Amino acid sequence: MRQDDSRPEGDADGPGKRASAVVVGGGLAGITSALALADAGLDVTLLEGRPRLGGLAFSFQRGDLTVDNGQHVYLRCCTAYRWFLDRVEGAHLAPLQERLDVPVLDADRHRLGRLRRTALPVPLHLAASLATYPHLSLAERANVGRAALALKGLDPADPALDSQDFGSWLAAHGQSKRAVEALWDLVGVATLNAVAGDASLGLAAMVFKTGLLSDPGAADIGWARVPLGDIHDGLARKALDSAGVRTELRTRVTSISRSKNGSWRVEVPGEAIEADTVVLAVAQAETHDLLPDGALDEPDRLLGIDTAPILNVHVVYDRKVLKKPFFAALGTPVQWVFDRTEASGLAAGQYLALSQSAAQDEIDAPVAALRERYLPELERLLPAAHGARVLDFFVTRERTATFAPTPGVGRLRPGARTNEAGLYLAGAWTATGWPATMESAVRSGITAARAALTALDRPHDHLFEEAA
Ligand SMILES: Cc1cc2nc3c(=O)[nH]c(=O)nc-3n(C[C@H](O)[C@H](O)[C@H](O)COP(=O)(O)OP(=O)(O)OC[C@H]3O[C@@H](n4cnc5c(N)ncnc54)[C@H](O)[C@@H]3O)c2cc1C
């Protein structure tokens, strides 16, 4: 993983000059690319417009509370993100459950179900849990099993799947409205950021096959027990510094062009940086604005990749109202609830974060309306919240949290290579095959670095392999 010391400095460009790279964007994709290129011996500069690293997965202070902009989880099958956690020495701060175990609480029927796995091989690892899942009838459970087997036979990379929607496929495979709500959307909305009817069958098949039908432990859930910023900003910065990356924050790139000598010229206010390689690791709209003419055949396709919002509702109670670290909810607008007390540094009481995906209808709702809506719902779900005092209530709104995983999005997502030698794209929205996740971001960063190192004839054995 460390810098390749076997190659003499300056081998690409003559004595004394190391091959250089500029990475634009300090989200997970950009950080990953910068680390990978620096580890291969390149002279790397990372430019980030904001005052911190971490992009869409960050923390901020609210008085004494350290708040994540949105609850982030990953799964054991997110092997590239786990590689990233190891690379920044943060894996112990975001551990995985030993075994998948998701409490699912129905607000209307006051029943608790659990999605758990056993140690049995796939698909038996979920059979016992499904057989006793109280939120579905016996017939619905049997139908879910049949649909899961049919899903297993799909190839997520098949372009024909990308143009179909997951909801229609579920209906055609006998899934009731209740089964979609209590199972498929419960998982799918949180991972895809869209309800089944709005999601590409290809992406949904990818999520469910990889998470639930590949390896028994694939869907075990991991999440940061510290503020996200401790890992994505603090530890990432430390790793970048020790890899020798020059990191510039509050440095917004305004243009990328080819200079007369053939190298790339990256302009930021007050400076122009020359480099052999540029990795553009920003969102699709910013990529469109910064791409030099001709770099993609149809750059306007990038603008066809829509975005989707995620809302987080944050509630601080004066006492403990939830015993479990997290749960998912049914029969209520509440989706997933996480206990963030310890991670936030709250000394007394309890801090819950509600993660509300596919939040198109609520993303602009006033705080007062959201308060009126969610506090009674939490009381319905958590009896201990009755009579508890709410010490703080606030929301975080990420209007462009992810790319929208709509049918047809797959053909709009570009790969890492552009038409221009030395210019590469990264970002969770590029063609990784994954929905917009931390895993997708890290994979894209690795893929871009790998493409750049291949073009420079540099070894990249140090890089995480599966993303190839
Ligand atoms: C609320 C919320 C909840 C989420 N939950 C999950 C989850 O549970 N699990 C999961 O896996 N994923 C989740 N995601 C998605 C995940 O956070 C993203 O997919 C991932 O962080 C994207 O990383 P990225 O590097 O591709 O892009 P970004 O994070 O968008 O990084 C791009 C960076 O480029 C910078 N930039 C833009 N333009 C310029 C410029 N001109 N010059 C310099 N810098 C520039 C931006 O400031 C930004 O820092 C969630 C996202 C949100 C918002």
Side-chain angles (χ1 to χ4, degrees):
M1 209 183 286
R2 297 252 64 88
Q3 176 166 325
D4 171 33
D5 295 325
S6 61
R7 283 180 85 92
E9 280 199 356
D11 53 355
D13 304 278
K17 187 170 179 299
R18 275 159 77 194
S20 58
V22 168
V23 177
V24 185
L28 293 175
I31 297 168
T32 301
S33 268
L35 285 171
L37 294 171
D39 288 344
L42 269 65
D43 181 3
V44 182
T45 304
L46 173 62
L47 304 171
E48 166 55 52
R50 296 197 181 124
R52 48 155 183 82
L53 297 175
L56 285 164
F58 69 97
S59 310
F60 62 92
Q61 277 311 119
R62 180 181 170 90
D64 291 339
L65 218 58
T66 311
V67 177
D68 286 354
N69 68 316
Q71 177 63 46
H72 278 67
V73 306
Y74 70 100
L75 305 180
R76 195 182 291 279
C77 60
C78 294
T79 44
Y81 182 65
R82 289 171 60 205
W83 173 90
F84 174 87
L85 286 176
D86 283 339
R87 178 64 187 82
V88 302
E89 298 180 14
H92 63 293
L93 301 176
L96 283 156
Q97 294 180 313
E98 227 165 86
R99 273 198 195 165
L100 172 73
D101 188 355
V102 180
V104 184
L105 198 51
D106 185 324
D108 292 329
R109 301 180 202 182
H110 300 285
R111 292 186 79 175
L112 177 69
R114 284 168 79 174
L115 290 172
R116 294 190 267 191
R117 73 162 175 104
T118 60
L120 290 172
V122 174
L124 298 176
H125 67 311
L126 292 173
S129 179
L130 185 60
T132 55
Y133 193 55
H135 305 309
L136 297 179
S137 71
L138 216 58
E140 284 167 334
R141 289 177 224 162
N143 276 341
V144 164
R146 275 193 283 275
L149 288 181
L151 202 70
K152 200 164 188 268
L154 296 180
D155 173 8
D158 178 352
L161 298 195
D162 179 49
S163 54
Q164 300 174 46
D165 79 89
F166 186 39
S168 302
W169 187 92
L170 288 173
H173 285 78
Q175 302 306 291
S176 64
K177 199 166 161 269
R178 176 71 182 168
V180 173
E181 185 206 357
L183 199 83
W184 298 105
D185 269 354
L186 187 89
V187 178
V189 169
T191 45
L192 293 160
N193 201 17
V195 293
D198 294 337
S200 143
L201 174 57
L203 279 172
M206 197 276 157
V207 164
F208 282 96
K209 267 190 85 163
T210 311
L212 297 178
L213 302 165
S214 62
D215 181 89
D220 301 343
I221 297 177
W223 68 97
R225 309 306 203 270
V226 296
L228 274 180
D230 286 10
I231 302 173
H232 296 165
D233 187 17
L235 287 182
R237 183 62 199 259
K238 209 168 139 203
L240 288 160
D241 286 350
S242 34
V245 174
R246 171 189 163 202
T247 303
E248 298 293 342
L249 303 177
R250 296 187 176 85
T251 306
R252 199 158 191 83
V253 170
T254 52
S255 87
I256 299 170
S257 57
R258 190 73 89 173
S259 56
K260 285 196 185 101
N261 65 13
S263 66
W264 288 104
R265 182 182 161 86
V266 179
E267 286 190 43
V268 298
E271 189 183 355
I273 304 168
E274 301 254 332
D276 309 301
T277 297
V278 172
V279 176
L280 192 46
V282 301
Q284 58 270 36
E286 281 101 342
T287 300
H288 179 268
D289 292 349
L290 286 172
L291 269 183
D293 286 346
L296 289 182
D297 290 338
E298 295 180 79
D300 287 350
R301 288 167 80 107
L302 301 188
L303 301 179
I305 305 175
D306 282 338
T307 57
I310 299 179
L311 174 77
N312 270 245
V313 174
H314 309 260
V315 190
V316 179
Y317 289 100
D318 66 346
R319 67 196 71 169
K320 197 170 171 90
V321 299
L322 170 68
K323 288 196 190 114
K324 302 178 187 332
F326 73 94
F327 70 95
L330 296 175
T332 163
V334 175
Q335 294 177 10
W336 289 68
V337 180
F338 281 78
D339 179 4
R340 295 301 295 170
T341 309
E342 223 178 292
S344 67
L346 183 72
Q350 191 171 35
Y351 163 26
L352 302 184
L354 280 59
S355 178
Q356 302 292 118
S357 299
Q360 284 83 352
D361 292 344
E362 289 191 321
I363 196 68
D364 292 316
V367 179
L370 293 168
R371 185 182 173 113
E372 214 169 293
R373 179 165 210 202
Y374 281 100
L375 289 183
E377 289 298 328
L378 283 171
E379 286 189 16
R380 240 163 38 94
L381 286 159
L382 304 169
H386 276 288
R389 220 153 51 86
V390 173
L391 302 179
D392 197 4
F393 181 101
F394 60 99
V395 301
T396 43
R397 307 173 201 266
E398 291 289 355
R399 289 179 178 77
T400 58
T402 68
F403 72 82
T406 41
V409 73
R411 64 189 150 75
L412 302 176
R413 298 171 74 185
R417 287 191 171 81
T418 69
N419 294 336
E420 295 285 347
L423 178 62
Y424 303 91
L425 303 183
W429 59 276
T430 59
T432 61
W434 284 71
T437 49
M438 300 188 286
E439 175 72 7
S440 184
V442 173
R443 277 179 184 252
S444 75
I446 291 171
T447 305
R450 193 186 298 278
L453 294 173
T454 303
L456 291 169
D457 198 19
R458 293 269 178 154
H460 38 71
D461 304 341
H462 62 290
L463 277 176
F464 169 76
E465 265 310 318
E466 275 174 65

